[in-house]
Amino acid sequence: MEKMVFGLTVTAIGMGVVFIELIFLVYVINVISWTSKRMDGKKNAAQVKTVKAESQAEVSAAALDTEKDDEIAAVISAAIAYMTQGSTVIKVIRRLPGANAPAWSGAGRMETMNLRQI
């Protein structure tokens, strides 16, 4: 009987310590979240001014991209025509929403496509 009481006491103390630590972690995470939101708010106010200047630079870069887009469309069309030996007709070429993804993402896509080769 004495061993049973000791075991239940140790179990109760252990579970109590774990729950107290979990509650403490919840508060710590909430404090970190709150401070990061406040810091982001201050950064966003400073970034609004720089975004306006960058948007003007992007307009001139967009004009250059349209020239490149025509060349890219021609290269894609030629590659598809070569691969299918002229049996398909390309009607529309659109950019994918994630086309501006990081380089590692593109490398992963290329690896996946290469693995699917027959």
Side-chain angles (χ1 to χ4, degrees):
M1 182 72 171
E2 192 174 302
K3 290 182 180 181
M4 183 120 169
V5 172
F6 178 73
L8 290 174
T9 304
V10 170
T11 302
I13 291 172
M15 289 176 66
V17 168
V18 167
F19 283 119
I20 289 171
E21 288 179 11
L22 287 174
I23 291 170
F24 175 72
L25 284 174
V26 167
Y27 285 119
V28 168
I29 290 171
N30 285 334
V31 167
I32 291 171
S33 173
W34 179 74
T35 54
S36 69
K37 285 180 185 176
R38 287 192 55 147
M39 293 177 86
D40 286 344
K42 290 179 183 177
K43 288 180 183 176
N44 287 341
Q47 289 175 351
V48 168
K49 294 177 184 176
T50 59
V51 169
K52 289 180 183 177
E54 290 175 0
S55 65
Q56 292 173 353
E58 288 177 8
V59 170
S60 62
L64 294 174
D65 286 345
T66 56
E67 294 174 4
K68 291 180 184 177
D69 287 344
D70 293 339
E71 293 175 7
I72 291 172
V75 171
I76 291 172
S77 300
I80 292 174
Y82 175 76
M83 294 297 290
T84 60
Q85 286 137 16
S87 62
T88 58
V89 177
I90 300 170
K91 294 182 180 179
V92 178
I93 297 177
R94 289 185 224 132
R95 283 194 184 270
L96 294 175
N100 296 329
W104 59 265
S105 178
R109 286 188 194 125
M110 289 303 294
E111 183 178 341
T112 302
M113 287 190 282
N114 289 335
L115 290 174
R116 294 182 180 179
Q117 296 290 324
I118 295 177

